[in-house]
Amino acid sequence: MVDRDRQTATVQARHVTLGLSDDDVLRMYHTLALARALDERMWVLQRAGLVPFVISGQGHEGAQVGVMWATDRARDWLVPFYRSLAACLAKGMSARDLMLGLFARAEDPSSGGRQMPAHWAHPRLKILSTSSPVGTQYLHAVGIAYAAKLRKTGEVCVTSVGEGGTSQGDWHEAMNFAGIHKLPVVFMVENNRYAISVPQRLQMAVDDVAVRAAGYGFPGVVVDGSDVLACYEAGREAVRRARAGEGPTLIEAKVERLTAHSSEDRQEKYRPTADVEAARSRDPLVVFKHYLEQVGLLDERRYTEIHAQIRAEVDDATAYAERAPWPDPATVTRHVYYEG
Amino acid sequence: MPELRLLDAIRQAMYEEMKRDERVVVLGEDVGPKGGVFGATDGFWAEFGEARVLDTPLAESTIVGAAIGMAANGLIPIAEIQFSDFIFPATNQIVSEAARMRYRSNGAFGCPIVIRAPYGGGVEVHGGLYHSQSIEAFFAHVPGLKVVAPSVPYDAKGLLKAAIRDPDPVLYLEHKRLYRAVRGEVPEDDYVVPIGPAVVRRPGTTLSLFAYGQMLHEALAVAAEMAGEGIDVEVVDLQTLRPLDVETILASVRKTNKALIVYEDNRFLGFGAEVAAIIAEEAFDALDGPVMRVAGLDVPAVPYADPLAAAFMPSRAKIADAVRRLATY
Ligand SMILES: Cc1ncc(C[n+]2csc(CCOP(=O)(O)OP(=O)(O)O)c2C)c(N)n1
């Protein structure tokens, strides 16, 4: 039998060894749990017919929060994709911001209700506007990183995509360009093994997307996306390299998609039930909660406290967004071109 | 005032803007030490360095996609597409990304990039199917993108400067045949020609002829020839295709009561189709004849062999024939 104190000491060493304070990991947990709670609420709202569409980041939160925590969240850039909810929260978007996007309200900071939900943007937080075509954003991240290098701003740019998106030409073009110029960019692939219904084996002939980085002249690492601290560690090294002028890193986080692709999808048609159940056991929120319990940072009381706070935050955001005014139809022709 | 070729005017505009504002960068294939396959960036690499005059990989989506990111982070990129025929791999970045960035972010993010692309054909160009195409209609269709196609050196310089200083993405089309074929006076001082207005290059009373790029010169030649026959052709250079100067077009039609549009692209749904539709819709009461078009044939693109290329193009003879028919209608 393992000595319980010794086991605690060993695991505790993990976040401390990584240079993270107790407060850091608790805030990370809060972000993860808030992302999850918001996401779950979005599905409830969709099922209740209050919003037409939801696309989810459930299962991806650990990878996103881990890597984002390794960045300078005020100074660095995020070029997100539609599952980047937790990354956007980590970057500073509020629960209200996210709910306003879901309800497509005028005040939605991402697009003022012009785009579908989950097409994030926030200029002040340096979150670049996202479109729907998969994979295009990698090139924008590369351009941002090029400008950062030329202007010597010291900024790093993080971008992310699913493994299906790595089949796109733009993905390869961006990797190539960033490798050539040793750009300060962190490329993430959040690999949940499905592109809607198409499994990974029909997207690529390799097990790990990360091996492709070698073909573009920089390191690729595989990391367990359910392990927030492992993602943080990979992110920290990638950000260090980027900041030091050593160039890009590809981080492939093996994550789980805990929901259907979107509210328009029924994954029973293509995904075995066992697979969905197995995914639950790799839920990053559960894994992180266990870790915090083991190291004595999370007990029943604390857990209840945090989750009560999150619930209040989600309730507030939902009520706020639902009441918020729609965009004025008179604004439909605005912002096609610069208006001064 | 020095006489410059269109190509030199373009080069001068970029050179002066790079001098004036260090945020301006140039990127594209062979734009570095070679100075571009047409020489538009000749000498830039030595003067401004490889970071600001960037030879990109042979990847058009990269050129535009990276330019979008650069613009988001404080640079003003001029992206050169070596030949407009090869812009299609970048179409998604232009249409779905650059042109929509402002609208989709509710005005929060702009996309101040310029995409320069040599286009067009004709017997002298010897470009064949993939080095001669007119691509303007594809892109002029897209709200959020500005499309410019200058025809004379003075405006080419001023419009390019305007494009570089414009907060929106501008597709700047350069007709290959005009690079070295047209000359004109170009001031050495800083000036800007606003994007938008069309220019009446030759006033007239019998009918209005609308054209741009290389066809503007064909139109002017035909108009001069027709004067001898007592047909007084007004020639309007559209010059900016999006946003289109509808007022100038309608004013001209209301004056002459007849409209002919000449363009080098395929006739079907080419740019002239939109001009014709606007005239039919807005100035129907002023018309004394059908709105007519002379355009490229509806085959995929300009063929290589000289006789085939000539057959494709809206030649002076074809234009003159249309002018006569419309004048006597
Ligand atoms: C260019 C393009 N083609 C198709 C689609 C439709 N589509 C949206 S998401 C998606 C699957 C993406 O899978 P992946 O990149 O693995 O990310 P995941 O959704 O699994 O996180 C598809 C096919 C799209 N948005 N863009």
Side-chain angles (χ1 to χ4, degrees):
Chain A
M1 224 181 95
V2 187
D3 173 353
R4 207 182 140 67
D5 284 346
R6 273 197 36 217
Q7 189 195 16
T8 304
T10 332
V11 277
Q12 185 153 26
R14 239 185 119 205
H15 76 267
V16 178
T17 313
L18 287 169
L20 289 167
S21 69
D22 292 352
D23 186 52
D24 279 326
V25 280
L26 282 171
R27 280 192 298 130
M28 288 167 87
Y29 178 77
H30 186 107
T31 308
L32 226 80
L34 176 60
R36 177 64 56 86
L38 275 166
D39 202 308
E40 284 171 351
R41 176 64 58 85
M42 292 178 177
W43 286 87
V44 172
L45 295 167
Q46 195 272 338
R47 295 218 178 88
L50 290 167
V51 298
F53 180 77
V54 171
I55 193 154
S56 194
Q58 289 186 42
H60 291 229
E61 301 98 329
Q64 293 174 18
V65 171
V67 170
M68 288 313 289
W69 230 265
T71 64
D72 178 337
R73 277 167 288 146
R75 179 198 204 184
D76 294 333
W77 282 84
L78 172 65
V79 182
F81 82 124
Y82 51 83
R83 296 204 199 281
S84 301
L85 186 146
C88 289
L89 277 179
K91 196 89 177 65
M93 284 182 82
S94 68
R96 282 187 177 188
D97 288 343
L98 301 178
M99 278 296 178
L100 285 162
L102 183 77
F103 280 94
R105 297 311 201 229
E107 210 189 314
D108 156 37
S110 296
S111 78
R114 288 180 171 184
Q115 295 216 74
M116 294 170 85
H119 289 61
W120 330 104
H122 206 298
R124 185 173 50 76
L125 298 172
K126 295 186 172 180
I127 301 174
L128 185 67
S129 161
T130 333
S131 67
S132 297
V134 159
T136 55
Q137 73 274 17
Y138 251 52
L139 280 170
H140 305 162
V142 151
I144 286 173
Y146 188 89
K149 189 176 173 184
L150 182 65
R151 295 172 52 220
K152 301 187 172 58
T153 61
E155 298 157 319
V156 170
C157 185
V158 177
T159 191
S160 199
V161 74
E163 84 289 351
T166 70
S167 299
Q168 289 281 343
D170 278 7
W171 187 86
H172 295 271
E173 290 195 18
M175 297 273 287
N176 187 40
F177 188 88
I180 291 168
H181 293 284
K182 285 193 183 309
L183 296 180
V185 57
V186 178
F187 292 125
M188 274 184 86
V189 173
E190 295 172 35
N191 183 351
N192 62 24
R193 295 176 289 116
Y194 290 94
I196 307 187
S197 69
V198 181
Q200 176 178 332
R201 71 184 164 76
L202 296 177
Q203 294 289 345
M204 65 190 81
V206 289
D207 291 331
D208 299 323
V209 180
V211 300
R212 292 178 176 164
Y216 298 105
F218 53 86
V221 296
V222 178
V223 61
D224 177 359
S226 298
D227 183 343
V228 186
L229 295 178
C231 295
Y232 170 77
E233 190 174 7
R236 197 178 57 168
E237 171 58 10
V239 170
R240 185 203 62 73
R241 279 176 41 79
R243 202 101 64 202
E246 292 169 27
T249 305
L250 175 63
I251 300 174
E252 176 184 8
K254 305 282 195 190
V255 298
E256 295 296 339
R257 195 184 82 196
L258 296 177
T259 63
H261 170 75
S262 75
S263 52
E264 301 289 297
D265 174 43
R266 287 186 45 230
Q267 60 179 346
E268 308 81 66
K269 285 178 77 176
Y270 56 85
R271 202 174 168 186
T273 323
D275 190 45
V276 180
E277 279 157 13
R280 292 263 155 222
S281 69
R282 293 196 353 106
D283 182 339
L285 194 61
V286 174
V287 175
F288 200 29
K289 175 172 175 263
H290 278 154
Y291 171 80
L292 295 174
E293 284 167 352
Q294 276 181 311
V295 298
L297 286 175
L298 199 63
D299 56 15
E300 191 74 38
R301 194 183 54 80
R302 193 109 191 223
Y303 179 85
T304 313
E305 228 172 71
I306 293 175
H307 283 267
Q309 203 184 324
I310 285 173
R311 200 192 161 96
E313 215 175 328
V314 175
D315 285 346
D316 162 77
T318 310
Y320 183 85
E322 208 179 344
R323 277 198 309 266
W326 286 101
D328 179 351
T331 62
V332 66
T333 56
R334 291 201 57 200
H335 302 305
V336 177
Y337 297 99
Y338 180 67
E339 292 172 5
Chain B
M1 235 186 284
E3 281 244 324
L4 291 188
R5 303 177 301 177
L6 190 96
L7 178 64
D8 304 320
I10 287 166
R11 183 185 173 282
Q12 206 176 72
M14 284 194 285
Y15 180 83
E16 289 177 12
E17 290 302 293
M18 289 191 80
K19 275 278 202 204
R20 189 183 68 83
D21 188 339
E22 63 174 21
R23 295 173 301 168
V24 179
V25 300
V26 166
L27 68 157
E29 293 151 16
D30 304 293
V31 299
K34 183 176 166 70
V37 293
F38 293 99
T41 56
D42 195 24
F44 286 19
W45 186 79
E47 176 143 2
F48 300 109
E50 65 175 15
R52 287 183 69 199
V53 184
L54 171 63
D55 267 336
T56 64
L58 180 37
E60 285 72 18
S61 195
T62 293
I63 296 169
V64 176
I68 292 167
M70 291 177 191
N73 201 11
L75 299 181
I76 301 173
I78 306 174
E80 178 173 304
I81 300 295
Q82 199 159 71
F83 292 86
S84 72
D85 311 68
F86 310 129
I87 203 169
F88 298 111
T91 305
N92 190 47
Q93 286 289 348
I94 298 170
V95 175
S96 304
E97 307 297 331
R100 284 181 199 178
M101 182 67 79
R102 190 177 298 284
Y103 191 76
R104 80 186 192 207
S105 67
N106 208 16
F109 283 100
C111 188
I113 69 174
V114 180
I115 303 164
R116 292 181 39 244
Y119 78 109
V123 171
E124 309 82 351
V125 170
H126 294 291
L129 256 58
Y130 299 103
H131 290 81
S132 302
Q133 291 169 76
S134 295
I135 58 159
E136 61 272 21
F138 292 116
F139 293 99
H141 179 64
V142 180
L145 191 66
K146 294 177 178 174
V147 181
V148 174
S151 57
V152 299
Y154 176 90
D155 293 274
K157 180 176 173 185
L159 279 166
L160 183 50
K161 280 180 171 252
I164 294 166
R165 298 177 197 184
D166 197 288
D168 292 311
V170 180
L171 177 61
Y172 183 91
L173 297 170
E174 303 165 9
H175 199 290
K176 291 189 288 293
R177 162 129 166 74
L178 301 183
Y179 271 150
R180 297 182 170 85
V182 285
R183 289 177 175 273
E185 293 196 334
V186 176
E188 274 176 288
D189 51 309
D190 189 30
Y191 68 95
V192 161
V193 173
I195 292 175
V199 182
V200 179
R201 297 280 179 206
R202 178 196 165 102
T205 52
T206 315
L207 61 89
S208 301
L209 202 166
F210 301 101
Y212 53 92
Q214 157 68 7
M215 284 304 133
L216 186 266
H217 297 278
E218 302 300 330
L220 287 170
V222 170
E225 195 183 312
M226 292 293 110
E229 298 179 22
I231 301 173
D232 186 15
V233 180
E234 172 149 310
V235 179
V236 181
D237 184 356
L238 297 177
Q239 185 158 263
T240 294
L241 307 184
R242 186 104 194 232
L244 185 64
D245 183 354
V246 173
E247 268 173 43
T248 299
I249 293 171
L250 295 179
S252 178
V253 174
R254 289 193 194 289
K255 183 174 109 181
T256 65
N257 310 111
K258 286 176 178 174
L260 170 67
I261 309 138
V262 180
Y263 56 105
E264 186 183 318
D265 195 1
N266 304 117
R267 176 186 174 94
F268 188 85
L269 282 185
F271 192 76
E274 180 64 28
V275 179
I278 289 171
I279 294 169
E281 217 167 12
E282 308 280 331
F284 184 74
D285 52 346
L287 288 173
D288 281 345
V291 179
M292 287 174 63
R293 289 178 289 161
V294 178
L297 302 182
D298 284 317
V299 301
V302 190
Y304 185 64
D306 286 354
L308 295 179
F312 173 91
M313 293 299 271
S315 61
R316 286 183 196 179
K318 290 183 208 171
I319 300 167
D321 180 51
V323 166
R324 282 191 201 101
R325 276 191 290 140
L326 190 56
T328 55
Y329 186 86

